[in-house]
Amino acid sequence: MRFRKALARKKRKEREAAGEIKELNITAMMDMMTILLVFLLKSFASSSAAITASEDVRPPVSSTRASPKDTVAVTITPKNILVGDKEVVRLNNGQIPADQLQGRVVVPLDAAFKKEVEKLKYIADRNPSAPFSRELSVIGDKKVAYDLLITVLYTAGQNELENYRFVVLQKDEGGQ
């Protein structure tokens, strides 16, 4: 009986010991960490411009080959104007409400642009590889009124955003 208990105890200890890791293989761990590092650096370096997709916006189609850059993005839909992802102005029948205008400047849009420009200048002061480019990406519905577009661009120009890039859909090779 004692022999059986001792044998069962020995087998139980062997099973428990089999599940333990007695030593770490540092070479395999370093290989894994190197692969993760390379993957993360590659994905960081190849990040594209963040453009908010919306069902309200149908940009015009173009045959351009230029790729989008990371800039301040303003989206003009038939219902509102957004800077980045945040709604700044709600439009009434495709027009800016009169109480939000000072001449040709849209007051809430002006404040949002000022905030974005300050942030970009702060980054440029501390990081010489990311200069302030004074660029604005305009994502606009193809049915947006020209007067509304000019008002938004005028407000951007008052905030040192002088270079405009209009975001368009790329035409398919099949001739969409």
Side-chain angles (χ1 to χ4, degrees), residues 19-150:
E20 290 181 21
I21 299 173
K22 297 197 175 166
E23 64 182 62
L24 293 175
N25 187 350
I26 194 75
T27 306
M29 288 180 65
M30 289 302 294
D31 288 346
M32 179 181 65
M33 294 306 286
T34 303
I35 290 169
L36 280 173
L37 178 67
V38 169
F39 171 76
L40 291 174
L41 286 174
K42 177 143 178 56
S43 66
F44 178 74
S46 67
S47 67
S48 64
I51 296 175
T52 307
S54 172
E55 291 180 19
D56 294 341
V57 180
R58 305 230 188 284
V61 178
S62 173
S63 60
T64 184
R65 296 279 181 222
S67 59
K69 289 185 177 181
D70 245 347
T71 61
V72 177
V74 62
T75 306
I76 308 168
T77 72
K79 297 177 185 174
N80 52 24
I81 300 173
L82 300 101
V83 174
D85 294 337
K86 297 176 187 164
E87 181 181 310
V88 179
V89 178
R90 183 160 294 275
L91 302 175
N92 293 334
N93 297 325
Q95 298 294 319
I96 300 168
D99 63 332
Q100 295 183 357
L101 286 170
Q102 275 185 343
R104 196 78 160 160
V105 175
V106 184
V107 177
L109 186 61
D110 187 54
F113 282 149
K114 274 185 177 40
K115 186 177 177 183
E116 289 293 321
V117 167
E118 284 176 19
K119 183 173 72 172
L120 290 173
K121 284 183 175 180
Y122 179 82
I123 292 169
D125 287 345
R126 279 146 185 78
N127 185 0
S129 66
F132 176 50
S133 63
R134 301 174 187 265
E135 287 188 10
L136 176 73
S137 292
V138 180
I139 307 162
D141 189 83
K142 57 186 169 186
K143 295 180 181 174
V144 167
Y146 182 73
D147 187 57
L148 175 61
L149 180 64
I150 293 300

